Amino acid sequence: MIKIYNTETKSKENFSSLKPNSVKIYQCGPTVYWYQHIGNMRAAFIGDIVFRSFIFEKYQVNFVRNFTDVGHLTGDNLGDADQGEDRMEKASKREDLSPQEIAQKYTDAYKKDISLLNILEPTQSPSATEEIYEIKKMVKNLLKKGFAYETDLAIYFDTGKAKNYTRLSGQNIEENLKGSGHGDVEDSQKKKHSDFALWIFKKGKHANALQTWKSPKKSFFEKKPNGFPGWHIECSAMIKRYLGPTIDIHLGGIEHIPTHHTNEIAQSEAANEVDFVKYWMHYEHLLADNKKMAKSEGTGYLLSEIIEKGFDPLTLRFFFLQAHYRSKQNFTWEALEAAQNGLNKLRKDVSSLPDSKVKADKNFINKFKEKLFDDFNTPQALSVVYDILNSNLEDKVKKATILEIDKVLGLDLNKAQKVNIPTEVTSLVNEREEARKSQDWAKSDELREKIESLGFKVKDTANGQEVIN
């Protein structure tokens, strides 16, 4: 039995899918205006664990993770998602590229990073700009049903008409709004502060918006300025198109609970007239040295930085496995080094076991499932691998069982230990090779000492130099 902590009910529940042996999952994906730091990689990893877990349990899984490439305003950092500048346009000006080129550049970078972390491609990866028709259709539906209204600057959702608007966060809306609204522009025609933009017209602050489309209209003869979608409506429209009006699981960061996901519920249930999500799963943040991980703080570490320092990318995945998704996890370089040592030893232990076509041990597979399916408890699930290694099972059964489990863990435990050599070490090795060719043995020894001071050893073989970590 799979158990999930449901944010909405604030309790752990036995999972029951809408359709037998089938599950529909949506995860809020990245806004592709910059490189995603490893905190965002942890989010993708958590989605991957949920995806792999249901596959492991033989479910038919429809997993959608989106890309936001328009409409996500910088005011979201201040708790007001309808204020500020469009993040894609800001990046466009920064790099002198079109928003479309920015989106493509950082979508490609994200896909490359998550592939290095052995994160499976979702069933669908829609982008907001590809779904404008669906977005406008939902906005038009909300206008028709009386849940939305227009001002000179935008089309807003009327939160006063939403059923139990704050049920996900459990917050008092009036208390929550005190001191909010720090954006530099306010629409005086907006009925309530909590009302949020479904569509923003190319007017006012956004008169020079770079990405706009024909706005939703009630009739052919109506005249309206072009505009672009609000951030919240994008997810609702994509969920409706690819998964239907009601889904099993919605994944996202805890920062999305009070605004983004609260607004998704309001507009989706108003438009579709059915319950939106059965189980809400929210993950905690990755910290850096016990502080917020952020580019502005100098702690927005990238996967490329980890690789440049000589770490196997899957070391980061191994590190992520050691914390529950609902717990904060603290990243330090020392912790990552410990994770690399742990992963290398685990790979060595597993690769030393004999290969065979025997079946996995059923008892240990059930034990693994028991741990994993208790709200996707990866630390406990990972511990089962060590239990297997220390058990009295035949070595060939140990290996078969561990490799079956690794279908969820995604650590490539059947592969030999990988050694990622930093560019500095590679340069020294190449320089030493030239010294050896010149028979400059003194320089060769000097370079060997430099290489060893960086934590690597170099071994001279008949086939050249071999670098050992």
Side-chain angles (χ1 to χ4, degrees):
M1 177 66 71
I2 298 173
K3 297 178 181 178
I4 296 176
Y5 182 86
N6 188 349
T7 308
E8 186 172 347
T9 62
K10 310 294 186 295
S11 63
K12 196 184 291 186
E13 302 176 8
N14 292 333
F15 176 77
S16 174
S17 57
L18 294 164
K19 182 179 176 183
N21 302 314
S22 178
V23 59
K24 297 186 288 187
I25 306 169
Y26 183 85
Q27 181 176 30
C28 287
T31 301
V32 282
Y33 68 104
W34 188 247
Y35 298 106
Q36 303 294 311
H37 61 59
I38 59 173
N40 303 121
M41 295 296 106
R42 183 178 187 238
F45 157 79
I46 291 164
D48 186 61
I49 286 293
V50 174
F51 188 22
R52 285 173 179 263
S53 296
F54 279 103
I55 293 172
F56 193 72
E57 192 63 354
K58 304 293 189 295
Y59 276 79
Q60 181 182 349
V61 188
N62 191 356
F63 176 39
V64 177
R65 185 182 59 235
N66 76 306
F67 290 107
T68 297
D69 55 357
V70 68
H72 191 176
L73 307 186
T74 54
D76 178 53
N77 291 333
L78 301 171
D80 194 338
D82 291 347
Q83 300 296 330
E85 191 175 3
D86 185 290
R87 296 185 186 202
M88 299 302 298
E89 291 190 6
K90 188 175 180 180
S92 177
K93 294 169 188 174
R94 179 188 69 222
E95 300 188 32
D96 196 24
L97 296 171
S98 70
Q100 294 85 351
E101 289 170 324
I102 289 290
Q104 191 62 58
K105 176 180 177 179
Y106 293 113
T107 296
D108 290 345
Y110 178 79
K111 287 182 175 180
K112 179 183 176 183
D113 281 351
I114 62 172
S115 69
L116 291 171
L117 288 175
N118 214 4
I119 291 169
L120 302 177
E121 279 289 318
T123 316
Q124 303 281 350
S125 301
S127 296
T129 55
E130 297 171 352
E131 306 299 330
I132 296 298
Y133 173 78
E134 297 297 328
I135 293 167
K136 291 202 292 185
K137 188 165 72 172
M138 184 168 277
V139 174
K140 198 171 180 178
N141 184 17
L142 290 167
L143 281 167
K144 183 179 178 182
K145 290 183 175 181
F147 287 100
Y149 63 92
E150 297 178 31
T151 70
D152 291 337
L153 297 179
I155 301 174
Y156 291 100
F157 183 89
D158 188 342
T159 56
K161 295 184 177 180
K163 183 181 177 182
N164 199 2
Y165 176 61
T166 59
R167 71 175 187 264
L168 187 65
S169 65
Q171 294 175 324
N172 181 310
I173 193 67
E174 296 305 321
E175 288 296 319
N176 193 41
L177 290 174
K178 285 180 181 178
S180 66
H182 300 293
D184 57 350
V185 174
E186 184 69 52
D187 187 343
S188 61
Q189 294 177 304
K190 209 162 87 165
K191 292 180 180 178
K192 291 182 297 302
H193 196 292
S194 58
D195 294 351
F196 57 90
L198 301 169
W199 190 266
I200 300 165
F201 296 133
K202 189 175 180 178
K203 294 181 70 176
K205 178 171 178 145
H206 300 288
N208 297 317
L210 298 178
Q211 296 187 96
T212 60
W213 296 263
K214 289 182 179 179
S215 296
K217 296 191 294 186
K218 292 180 181 177
S219 71
F220 176 80
F221 301 100
E222 194 175 7
K223 290 185 179 181
K224 286 187 184 178
N226 287 355
F228 59 92
W231 176 35
H232 315 301
I233 193 70
E234 297 170 2
C235 287
S236 286
M238 286 185 267
I239 289 170
K240 174 72 178 295
R241 179 178 180 188
Y242 291 99
L243 297 172
T246 305
I247 65 172
D248 293 287
I249 299 171
H250 196 313
L251 289 156
I254 58 165
E255 69 277 10
H256 293 329
I257 295 172
T259 305
H260 185 49
H261 289 164
T262 288
N263 291 345
E264 277 188 54
I265 293 171
Q267 65 201 3
S268 291
E269 296 191 349
N272 302 325
E273 300 180 13
V274 292
D275 290 339
F276 178 40
V277 174
K278 227 182 154 182
Y279 304 93
W280 283 96
M281 289 180 62
H282 289 96
Y283 31 85
E284 265 286 3
H285 294 136
L286 180 68
L287 305 177
D289 295 320
N290 285 313
K291 298 177 184 176
K292 179 182 178 182
M293 179 167 288
K295 178 174 173 282
S296 59
E297 301 287 330
T299 55
Y301 300 123
L302 305 179
L303 184 61
S304 58
E305 294 177 71
I306 285 172
I307 295 170
E308 285 169 8
K309 286 183 178 286
F311 291 98
D312 180 341
L314 290 185
T315 295
L316 187 62
R317 186 180 181 100
F318 185 70
F319 172 74
F320 289 155
L321 282 164
Q322 296 172 40
H324 192 274
Y325 76 90
R326 286 195 291 114
S327 299
K328 289 184 176 73
Q329 187 172 22
N330 186 40
F331 174 87
T332 65
W333 292 108
E334 292 78 14
L336 192 65
E337 189 168 346
Q340 176 125 309
N341 292 335
L343 178 58
N344 286 342
K345 185 179 186 308
L346 182 57
R347 280 201 180 121
K348 184 178 179 181
D349 290 345
V350 174
S351 62
S352 69
L353 299 171
D355 289 315
S356 173
K357 293 184 178 179
V358 298
K359 290 184 177 180
D361 181 80
K362 188 174 181 180
N363 289 331
F364 271 112
I365 292 296
N366 287 338
K367 184 177 180 182
F368 172 73
K369 287 183 178 182
E370 179 186 345
K371 303 293 186 183
L372 177 71
F373 293 159
D374 185 8
D375 196 27
F376 306 98
N377 193 327
T378 55
Q380 289 295 312
L382 180 61
S383 72
V384 176
V385 173
Y386 296 96
D387 292 342
I388 294 168
L389 288 170
N390 294 323
S391 73
N392 294 322
L393 290 176
E394 287 184 75
D395 283 350
K396 59 186 179 181
V397 179
K398 286 182 181 180
K399 188 165 191 176
T401 309
I402 290 171
L403 295 185
E404 183 68 13
I405 285 171
D406 195 39
K407 291 178 180 178
V408 176
L409 303 181
L411 295 172
D412 285 347
L413 292 177
N414 200 31
K415 293 184 180 178
Q417 174 181 330
K418 297 178 183 178
V419 178
N420 286 287
I421 305 171
T423 53
E424 183 180 359
V425 174
T426 302
S427 297
L428 291 171
V429 170
N430 292 337
E431 190 178 346
R432 184 171 181 270
E433 183 63 29
E434 292 301 316
R436 292 176 73 226
K437 287 178 181 178
S438 304
Q439 297 188 353
D440 188 346
W441 308 120
K443 187 173 183 180
S444 173
D445 290 342
E446 180 187 336
L447 290 165
R448 178 196 290 275
E449 289 176 6
K450 285 185 178 180
I451 292 166
E452 289 181 351
S453 72
L454 294 170
F456 291 80
K457 292 183 179 180
V458 62
K459 182 179 179 182
D460 297 323
T461 71
N463 296 319
Q465 300 178 93
E466 180 183 347
V467 181
I468 303 167
N469 189 354

